[in-house]
Amino acid sequence: MARAMNGRVYLVTGAGSGIGAAICRRLAAPGVSILVHTGSNRIRGDAVASECEAKGARCRVELGDLADPNTAVGLVAACEARFGGLDGLVSNAGFGDRRKLGEIDEAGFERSLGVILKALFRLATAAEPLLSKSGAGRVVAVSSFLAHEFKLGGDVFPASAAAKSGLEGLARSLAAQLAPKRITVNCVVPGYVKKDAATHSSLDPARWQSALERIPLRRLGLPDEIAAAVAFLLGADAGYITGQLLHVDGGLTL
């Protein structure tokens, strides 16, 4: 028997700021439990957890580098130990690497694959038994327009594009495999999204202005707009949706 949708357990990676933090805030409600993952910034993780707890959610903050194969297993184990299960997995952690072919070395390329693509594989592998027990398991992977748009005014992100493209392919394959277990797997594909103050950006102000000119809606997306799409796919209303890519990009990929 699945838990009531308002009493579910979620794991959100890369949740210390930006889209991940917004997802946690969207999900927070009385009875909901959230494992807030961040790479190394405990202060940001604790701040997000405090916001969510103020809305009635139970939270636990876990740190760890998702390029480390042991991190994903540890996060899922923490969900089971602290909250007794897992209903929704959000694989959100990632970063943009602007280094071109000839500039990026193999270690840099491998890091993008590790934090983005391999992390989803490891998280899903570890989480599948708990998601199966849920009876209404959900996996949402946060991809990027970088897997779809390549005419970016000279900016190219080969490692990021490869990792995000692989993420989408893996998610769709998992959707087919896990559907008989009543687990849905979908991707949300953001466009250019406004960054939190004092967080790293891969684009300078001039490049952000150039980006705006490529967006039909002529504005940046907000983290909460991406979070809204993720929350929908995690919820009961999306129970018949799996294997899909939902673009939230202001028309960028038209």
Side-chain angles (χ1 to χ4, degrees), residues 90-127:
V90 182
S91 186
N92 168 71
F95 59 95
D97 192 328
R98 290 182 56 246
R99 291 179 292 173
K100 301 177 182 180
L101 188 70
E103 297 173 349
I104 188 170
D105 58 13
E106 186 168 345
F109 191 83
E110 179 63 30
R111 178 154 186 80
S112 284
L113 296 181
V115 173
I116 297 169
L117 173 56
K118 292 182 180 180
L120 174 60
F121 167 74
R122 292 164 179 156
L123 287 163
T125 299

Side-chain angles (χ1 to χ4, degrees), residues 29-30 35 45 48 50 58 60 67 105 107 110 121 123 131 198 202-203 244:
L35 192 142
V48 173
S50 293
R58 296 190 303 162
R60 179 182 179 91
D105 58 13
E110 179 63 30
F121 167 74
L123 287 163
L131 294 172
S202 60
L203 300 180
Q244 303 303 307

